[in-house]
């Protein structure tokens, strides 16, 4: 906070998995990436890290920049993902 971003995000891109304290995002994608594609990227990174056959809890945080309707679309895609049945 209070420092210029050493990796500015171009207008046609967005970051996925940003930290709440300004940490860099996990991935950068084009701004027109669909909700389904965003969740697929997140799930592909998570599914190998979580133990198999255990229940999961999902927390989606938009840092206040995504409207509730769009967050609901992302939440739906999480529930329809490969991990959705475990949430």
């Amino acid at each position: 906070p209070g420092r210029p971003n050493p990796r500015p995000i171009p207008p046609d891109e967005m970051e996925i998995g940003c930290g709440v304290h300004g940490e860099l995002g996990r991935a950068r994608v084009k701004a027109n990436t669909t909700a389904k594609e965003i969740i697929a990227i997140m799930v592909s990174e998570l599914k190998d890290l979580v133990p198999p056959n255990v229940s999961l809890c999902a927390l989606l945080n938009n840092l206040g920049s995504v409207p509730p309707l769009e967050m609901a679309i992302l939440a739906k895609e999480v529930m329809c993902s490969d991990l959705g049945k475990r949430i």
Side-chain angles (χ1 to χ4, degrees), residues 42-79:
M42 294 169 63
V43 167
S44 71
E45 297 227 359
L46 288 173
K47 69 180 180 182
D48 294 333
L49 299 174
V50 296
N53 305 318
V54 297
S55 296
L56 303 172
C57 176
L59 171 65
L60 303 177
N61 186 344
N62 69 5
L63 306 177
S65 62
V66 180
L69 180 60
E70 292 178 17
M71 286 302 295
I73 293 168
L74 289 167
K76 177 208 165 255
E77 292 299 338
V78 169
M79 297 309 292

Side-chain angles (χ1 to χ4, degrees), residues 1 5 10-11 23-24 28 30 35 39 41 45-46 58 60 65 68 73 81 84 87:
N5 185 344
E23 297 91 348
L24 297 176
R28 278 200 182 169
K30 290 295 184 185
I39 298 306
I41 292 166
E45 297 227 359
L46 288 173
L60 303 177
S65 62
I73 293 168
S81 74
I87 298 172

Side-chain angles (χ1 to χ4, degrees), residues 14-28:
M14 64 180 171
E15 283 192 333
I16 300 172
C18 303
V20 296
H21 300 105
E23 297 91 348
L24 297 176
R26 186 80 173 136
R28 278 200 182 169

